[in-house]
Amino acid sequence: MNFDILLGIGAGVFVLIFLTYVLAPTKNQTNLLFWSVLLVICAAINFAVWIIRDWNEEGTTLQWVLIEATTFVGALLISSSRTVKSFPIAWKFLLINSFGLGIAFLGIILIRSSLHVINQPIEVLAANSSSHPEIIWVEIGLWLAIFGYTAKLGLFPNHVWIEDTYGESPTQVSSLLSSFIPVSVCFALRPFVHLDHQLFPHTFSGADGLLVLGILTIFLSIFAVYDRDDIRRISAKVALFHTGALAVFLWMDLSDTAFLFMMATNLVVKSLLFISMGIVRMDAGKRELHKIIQADSINKPALSLFILALFLAFVMPGSPIFVTDIILIKAGQIGGKTFVILVPILGIVFFGVMLYKLAPLLNIKGRPFSKDVSTILRIRMTNGFFLLLLLLSTGCWGFYLLLQGVL
């Protein structure tokens, strides 16, 4: 997969999210023109982060500025529902992400200033690091930059904003933030992880800290999802699991093709997950599982789309997640890091716990959409169907690349 394909997939995902917002708003979504413009601005900033791929002083600084801009725009979008919960959650999102990005910026300054003082090519510095005691400042800078960006990514211990943000924001906002922002942060983090591997391959460094936080986040998501009774927050825990998996992929420092495919996978899987979840919630009129299960009936196509999205987010062949798991296992075997098979194994465990909680929904009788929301939900179902096609197409493309030996 090349960068142009990723941009195309990102554009397709955003158009479908945007059309869902504009053509099928809920009664709480007022002042559509303003919020629609803000959605476009948020997506445009994220696309700009992806395009700036040159790892130089100007590039890393501009990426940081743009990612910080997504924090402010995202906080506004989170508050767009104007509920009692939305404003404190928007503030939590703003404060935690700004805190993390502040640490990351300090790390970037240390890295750049130290490398400027040393004034050696990275390859030369890696081979003669012992003759440059000032390299310790580069190591400190990498720790700060990587840890700071993990707060924006949503890893433990700064993961607390993930569930509230994705669980309480409007469906389209959750879909946009969960699919686009992690990709932007991964683009910013990848050069620092690569530099860390080059300079400190034999010590416990910032990149290894990223791996530990990713695995802890995965375990935390599994334990947390068992206690959740809210389908919005269950979906947020799915996103949290995949955030932890992204950290493991970043630590593996795979090829550009594999990295770009992983980013495309994040886009299509999370967007479909939250769009389909929103349809079920609106159709049921409730979000608590025990209340939905007690209902007399539910729309079966909407429920089927949501359950299918959960299958495709973990174990189903044809999903790009299935391809990324194969890539991870293959890379782990080649690189002598076979423990990474833990990620797909834990994914099966997570899916099993989630299926145990959601299986009773399948026993509810089917019915059409209610007349008062049928138009909105049919539009959302149509957009969800196109997202499903995009997800399956990405998965098939990944299988083709895997068979060709590209991935």
Side-chain angles (χ1 to χ4, degrees):
M1 176 173 286
N2 59 41
F3 184 70
D4 292 335
I5 294 177
L6 176 65
L7 286 178
I9 292 173
V13 168
F14 172 70
V15 167
L16 291 171
I17 293 173
F18 182 77
L19 290 176
T20 303
Y21 189 84
V22 173
L23 300 179
T26 62
K27 60 183 180 180
N28 292 329
Q29 292 172 321
T30 57
N31 198 1
L32 284 180
L33 178 60
F34 174 76
W35 298 115
S36 299
V37 171
L38 212 57
L39 278 174
V40 173
I41 292 173
C42 186
I45 294 171
N46 280 284
F47 281 123
V49 174
W50 306 356
I51 293 170
I52 303 169
R53 289 179 292 165
D54 294 330
W55 198 70
N56 51 44
E57 187 170 355
E58 294 78 11
T60 52
T61 303
L62 184 54
Q63 273 188 329
W64 181 90
V65 170
L66 291 172
I67 291 175
E68 178 69 353
T70 65
T71 302
F72 290 101
V73 177
L76 290 173
L77 287 171
I78 292 165
S79 66
S80 64
S81 59
R82 299 184 177 277
T83 62
V84 175
K85 293 182 178 180
S86 64
F87 291 105
I89 290 171
W91 274 109
K92 179 187 288 187
F93 174 84
L94 180 64
L95 292 174
I96 294 177
N97 283 270
S98 295
F99 159 76
L101 289 174
I103 294 175
F105 188 64
L106 178 59
I108 292 171
I109 292 174
L110 280 175
I111 293 168
R112 286 303 175 188
S113 58
S114 301
L115 290 177
H116 180 73
V117 170
I118 296 172
N119 195 26
Q120 292 282 347
I122 299 300
E123 295 77 11
V124 175
L125 181 59
N128 302 281
S129 58
S130 59
S131 60
H132 294 279
E134 61 272 27
I135 200 174
I136 186 64
W137 293 107
V138 178
E139 185 173 10
I140 294 172
L142 285 169
W143 270 103
L144 293 174
I146 291 172
F147 178 76
Y149 272 128
T150 62
K152 181 69 177 181
L153 191 59
L155 296 183
F156 176 88
N158 297 301
H159 63 285
V160 292
W161 64 267
I162 289 278
E163 182 175 347
D164 288 339
T165 297
Y166 299 162
E168 301 298 336
S169 303
T171 298
Q172 303 92 327
V173 173
S174 299
S175 185
L176 180 71
L177 296 182
S178 66
S179 56
F180 278 78
I181 286 183
V183 174
S184 298
V185 178
C186 286
F187 268 105
L189 263 172
R190 181 169 161 81
F192 295 114
V193 173
H194 184 67
L195 178 63
D196 191 280
H197 284 316
Q198 283 183 293
L199 296 180
F200 311 105
H202 306 299
T203 59
F204 186 81
S205 57
D208 299 317
L210 174 68
L211 173 67
V212 171
L213 294 182
I215 293 174
L216 287 174
T217 303
I218 289 173
F219 275 107
L220 180 68
S221 67
I222 295 173
F223 286 113
V225 76
Y226 182 78
D227 293 329
R228 297 299 181 268
D229 187 52
D230 185 327
I231 61 169
R232 291 184 68 97
R233 292 183 175 266
I234 289 173
S235 300
K237 290 304 178 185
V238 176
L240 184 63
F241 180 95
H242 286 298
T243 296
L246 281 177
V248 178
F249 266 88
L250 282 171
W251 177 79
M252 288 293 290
D253 200 17
L254 303 177
S255 66
D256 288 344
T257 302
F259 172 75
L260 293 174
F261 183 78
M262 185 64 191
M263 297 301 99
T265 299
N266 187 85
L267 287 169
V268 293
V269 167
K270 289 183 180 176
S271 57
L272 177 62
L273 172 68
F274 282 99
I275 290 295
S276 60
M277 177 275 299
I279 297 171
V280 172
R281 188 198 62 78
M282 280 192 67
D283 173 64
K286 307 171 184 66
R287 47 191 289 177
E288 296 82 7
L289 269 176
H290 72 278
K291 292 182 179 179
I292 298 176
I293 292 169
Q294 292 171 359
D296 294 331
S297 57
I298 197 171
N299 185 269
K300 286 292 187 178
L303 179 62
S304 299
L305 181 64
F306 179 49
I307 298 296
L308 181 58
L310 294 173
F311 268 92
L312 291 169
F314 287 98
V315 296
M316 190 170 181
S319 167
I321 290 292
F322 192 77
V323 178
T324 57
D325 285 345
I326 295 175
I327 294 170
L328 191 63
I329 295 170
K330 177 182 174 182
Q333 289 178 335
I334 294 173
K337 303 167 183 174
T338 53
F339 69 89
V340 296
I341 196 175
L342 188 66
V343 174
I345 291 174
L346 290 175
I348 295 173
V349 173
F350 186 102
F351 179 76
V353 173
M354 188 173 54
L355 193 61
Y356 167 76
K357 296 179 70 69
L358 297 175
L361 293 175
L362 301 175
N363 296 323
I364 305 176
K365 293 187 299 182
R367 58 160 172 76
F369 289 126
S370 301
K371 290 184 178 180
D372 55 336
V373 292
S374 62
T375 302
I376 291 174
L377 292 184
R378 288 182 188 279
I379 293 173
R380 293 193 177 197
M381 281 291 292
T382 301
N383 291 342
F385 176 73
F386 282 116
L387 280 172
L388 175 62
L389 289 180
L390 186 58
L391 187 152
L392 293 175
S393 299
T394 304
C396 291
W397 178 245
F399 271 111
Y400 172 76
L401 293 179
L402 202 60
L403 292 174
Q404 295 295 314
V406 178
L407 290 176

